[in-house]
Amino acid sequence: MQIQDLPYADPGVPDARSGPRFLWWLFRNQLGGQFKSLAWGLLHFLSVSALPFCVGVAVQAVVDHSGRRLALAGGLLALCCVGNAVGDTFLHRTAVTNWITAAARVQQLLARKAANLGSALTRRVAAGEVVAVSTGDVEKIGWFVEAWSRFTAAAVTIVVVCVGLVVYQPALGVVVAVGLPVLALSVLPLLPRATRRADFQREKAGRATELASDTVAGLRVLRGIGGEELFLDRYRRASQEVRHAAVRSARMWSLIAAIQVLLPGLLLIAVVWYGVHLARQGRVEIGELVAVYSSVMILTYPLRHFEEIAMAYSFSRPSATRAARVLSLERATPAEGVAAAEVPGDMPSGDLYDPATGLLAPSGRLTAVVCGDPDAAGLLAERLGGHPSEEGISVLLGGVPLDELPLDSARTAVLVQDKDPVLLSGSLRELLDVPASGDVGAVEALAAAQCADVLAALVQGSLDAEDPMDARITERGRSLSGGQRQRLALARSLFTDPEVLVLDEPTSAVDSHTEARIADGVRDLRSGRTTVVFTSSPLLLDRADRVVLVHDGEVAAVGVHRELVHTEPRYRAVVTRETDDEAALNDVRHDIDVRHEKDGVPHEQDVLHALEEIEESA
């Protein structure tokens, strides 16, 4: 896989049982790139390690006054320099390719998982952690995958050089062959502590990222309630904790780096001292001593990769663990769909029915759903769209279970707009660049959502945009009010024109006059299409063909708004926001009316008794 071939056609199915297993899975899926990097790494490291031998041959040739061996040494030296340059160039190229392709694979897996889980993802994992995994953690995972081939090449080079020194000069070669493994393994006792400190630093950094993300997302609300400084103080404290953890981690890695410098220096001193002793005895020639001495100096370069791979693993392991935790999440219901032969050839259509609650949304009609609990309404809306947070019986569309449809088909058939829709940065034209039926134009959708003032605000804020469609929208639409963001999101949903549109509180931040016009616009534009609106607004409820009251997870009443508000106390309590006392008084009044219609005269004693009970309960 080359960088220009990205993205992957299929990033594969990851082994998300643990962080190390996920790293091993990534490594196995990039064997081709790893072998290329290993080959170029061997060429690079072996060329560098052969330079001392060439220098030793050249020095000895000068001592022996041998022009032929000096020319041979010069030729070998030039060949090693060419191998060094070519190997280093392509090692860097393949290593960076491995890094980027590994990171891209992880990002594609995370994007696929986010698309698969939908809004259920942030219910199981904090949004800040998802951001941390998809940015900083991805880079650290790619670093370890890329560093592994260079480390392997360095380890093979050290073994080859040690064997070569033993053959070339046994007396000194044995000293080097014994000393180098000690150098490579000397930092192992420190690695567990360094890893724990790195993990602690990552944990603190992740917490600070989550806090920063939450603070920025809720900045407008924080300013409104005067809580901005409180959250900023929390972030300052979290930031200081990250700094202290980073300093403690850096101290440990500095100690490891110092040992990696100190011990090779001691080995070099030992080799020189012992080599000079052997040279005085005539057992070692000057050229051989120079070659061994230079080899020890050169080998400190591949030895650094032992420290790098340890650092890369200690930093990437918690990152891989977090990524594996996200990738291991599964939908409450299967997303793959049934076999192709069992899936209907055409997109299903018809009534939308939820067996769990008994909610029925007839085809081609506007159904309003009233829930006393906003969270329950949000969960039910997601369930109707095929995104259940818990396992259960599937919602049926035209008698076909949504769980038995491929995920993309289910989402094409049923679109859910939650109560907090996201507007991506870009132009309005890009915002409306979504899969659509083509039967609803952008102008019609914007008009139905009453976006005239929003378009004017966008044009005014974009100095170089004459066409409202070219006006820029800031990140998450933060330059717009809550009502303006809601209306743009509603226009996007209407423009998509799905078979079934589920709207969760689409006008909660809009004034009543605009809300009434939106209700009429949605009703007219969605004529003949199935629309489900979760709301407690009388303006929307009054324009619905059918109103359903869901209480304690079940359908409690069905009718029209003007009928239910008089006959169903629980419905009236939610829609009119009446208190318990007011509800009891309304019940008494209803009883009086019934008795008056029956007998012609109200039973005064019963009325007084009921009023006394209300006062006592209050």
Side-chain angles (χ1 to χ4, degrees):
M1 169 64 74
Q2 298 297 319
I3 296 176
Q4 62 264 24
D5 298 327
L6 293 175
Y8 288 95
D10 180 13
V13 180
D15 186 349
R17 289 176 290 178
S18 67
R21 288 178 182 271
F22 179 60
L23 289 174
W24 174 242
W25 177 83
L26 274 178
F27 176 80
R28 287 190 290 108
N29 278 270
Q30 296 199 196
L31 285 179
Q34 294 291 341
F35 281 126
K36 287 181 182 179
S37 184
L38 175 61
W40 291 116
L42 286 173
L43 176 61
H44 170 58
F45 288 122
L46 290 175
S47 297
V48 171
S49 301
L51 292 175
F53 173 76
C54 298
V55 173
V57 172
V59 170
Q60 192 61 42
V62 172
V63 172
D64 297 338
H65 300 89
S66 174
R68 185 179 61 81
R69 279 191 292 162
L70 183 62
L72 176 62
L76 292 176
L77 190 63
L79 183 62
C80 288
C81 290
V82 172
N84 179 22
V86 174
D88 189 27
T89 299
F90 285 93
L91 171 61
H92 178 75
R93 180 186 180 92
T94 54
V96 171
T97 299
N98 288 338
W99 188 335
I100 293 177
T101 52
R105 186 187 296 272
V106 178
Q107 286 180 326
Q108 280 189 246
L109 290 171
L110 291 170
R112 185 173 68 180
K113 181 60 65 174
N116 188 358
L117 294 176
S119 58
L121 174 62
T122 52
R123 283 199 175 93
R124 304 186 192 180
V125 182
E129 183 172 353
V130 177
V131 173
V133 170
S134 59
T135 53
D137 286 340
V138 165
E139 292 188 5
K140 292 176 178 60
I141 293 171
W143 176 28
F144 175 75
V145 174
E146 172 269 327
W148 182 256
S149 57
R150 289 189 290 112
F151 161 72
T152 305
V156 172
T157 299
I158 290 175
V159 172
V160 171
V161 171
C162 287
V163 173
L165 288 177
V166 170
V167 175
Y168 177 66
Q169 176 43 251
L172 290 175
V174 170
V175 176
V176 177
V178 172
L180 282 178
V182 174
L183 296 182
L185 302 177
S186 60
V187 298
L188 286 181
L190 299 176
L191 288 180
R193 180 177 297 181
T195 301
R196 286 195 299 271
R197 292 189 179 185
D199 290 349
F200 184 72
Q201 178 194 354
R202 292 288 94 200
E203 179 183 345
K204 291 295 183 181
R207 171 58 184 157
T209 301
E210 293 176 21
L211 188 58
S213 177
D214 293 342
T215 302
V216 172
L219 193 58
R220 183 188 295 270
V221 177
L222 291 175
R223 286 175 175 170
I225 63 176
E228 182 180 1
E229 287 300 324
L230 174 62
F231 273 78
L232 288 178
D233 287 339
R234 290 182 182 178
Y235 180 74
R236 291 189 188 101
R237 289 195 296 270
S239 178
Q240 290 301 312
E241 291 176 359
V242 174
R243 184 178 67 85
H244 291 308
V247 170
R248 293 184 71 248
S249 179
R251 285 174 180 168
M252 185 56 63
W253 289 110
S254 297
L255 177 60
I256 293 175
I259 292 175
Q260 291 283 309
V261 173
L262 175 63
L263 294 184
L266 294 177
L267 177 62
L268 191 61
I269 293 173
V271 169
V272 172
W273 178 82
Y274 187 55
V276 170
H277 176 71
L278 294 177
R280 286 179 177 179
Q281 295 178 352
R283 296 168 57 186
V284 174
E285 295 181 347
I286 298 299
E288 293 175 338
L289 177 59
V290 171
V292 175
Y293 168 79
S294 302
S295 294
V296 175
M297 289 191 63
I298 290 295
L299 285 178
T300 58
Y301 170 52
L303 274 175
R304 293 175 188 169
H305 289 78
F306 284 77
E307 175 192 352
E308 182 191 10
I309 195 65
M311 183 180 292
Y313 179 72
S314 65
F315 276 87
S316 64
R317 186 175 62 83
S319 297
T321 300
R322 280 197 293 268
R325 183 165 60 247
V326 174
L327 294 174
S328 64
L329 298 175
E330 297 293 341
R331 287 169 54 87
T333 52
E336 290 78 9
V338 295
E342 302 176 14
V343 177
D346 299 327
M347 191 70 67
S349 61
D351 297 344
L352 184 68
Y353 177 66
D354 179 22
T357 60
L359 174 62
L360 173 67
S363 176
R365 300 179 66 185
L366 174 59
T367 301
V369 181
V370 176
C371 291
D373 183 1
D375 292 334
L379 293 175
L380 180 54
E382 292 178 359
R383 177 177 172 77
L384 292 179
H387 314 288
S389 57
E390 299 177 356
E391 294 185 2
I393 305 174
S394 174
V395 171
L396 306 178
L397 177 60
V400 178
L402 287 180
D403 295 348
E404 295 184 2
L405 292 174
L407 187 59
D408 55 348
S409 299
R411 290 182 173 175
T412 301
V414 183
L415 174 66
V416 178
Q417 177 183 304
D418 61 23
K419 60 173 60 69
D420 187 24
V422 175
L423 300 181
L424 301 179
S425 59
S427 67
L428 181 57
R429 194 184 309 278
E430 293 170 338
L431 177 70
L432 298 178
D433 185 15
V434 293
S437 66
D439 295 334
V440 176
V443 175
E444 298 174 274
L446 291 168
Q450 301 300 309
C451 292
D453 63 316
V454 184
L455 299 181
L458 288 175
V459 171
Q460 186 176 4
S462 302
L463 300 179
D464 56 344
E466 297 180 359
D467 186 348
M469 298 298 292
D470 296 326
R472 302 294 298 178
I473 300 174
T474 57
E475 182 184 1
R476 298 181 68 91
R478 290 195 174 97
S479 62
L480 302 173
S481 67
Q484 291 174 328
R485 288 196 299 270
Q486 262 190 347
R487 282 178 280 164
L488 278 182
L490 176 60
R492 179 177 58 188
S493 299
L494 294 174
F495 176 72
T496 303
D497 190 35
E499 178 67 26
V500 179
L501 176 61
V502 180
L503 303 172
D504 186 8
E505 295 290 353
T507 59
S508 58
V510 176
D511 63 83
S512 58
H513 297 289
T514 306
E515 187 176 31
R517 294 196 297 270
I518 290 176
D520 292 331
V522 171
R523 180 183 176 88
D524 295 339
L525 191 65
R526 293 288 300 173
S527 177
R529 293 284 200 178
T530 307
T531 308
V532 181
V533 181
F534 286 81
T535 183
S536 59
S537 167
L539 292 172
L540 288 175
L541 295 170
D542 192 43
R543 287 161 175 78
D545 299 317
R546 195 167 187 263
V547 178
V548 180
L549 172 65
V550 177
H551 182 73
D552 290 337
E554 295 181 352
V555 172
V558 179
V560 294
H561 169 65
R562 303 194 180 200
E563 172 190 338
L564 292 175
V565 79
H566 292 294
T567 60
E568 178 54 58
R570 290 171 296 184
Y571 178 84
R572 183 172 59 249
V574 175
V575 174
T576 63
R577 280 79 167 177
E578 67 182 8
T579 63
D580 293 339
D581 291 344
E582 291 172 338
L585 183 59
N586 284 328
D587 289 340
V588 171
R589 289 172 176 169
H590 177 70
D591 291 339
I592 293 174
D593 293 339
V594 171
R595 291 178 182 271
H596 183 70
E597 291 177 0
K598 181 179 179 181
D599 302 335
V601 179
H603 294 257
E604 296 181 359
Q605 295 298 327
D606 292 340
V607 174
L608 291 175
H609 180 67
L611 292 175
E612 289 175 359
E613 288 184 351
I614 295 174
E615 291 177 357
E616 289 177 1
S617 63

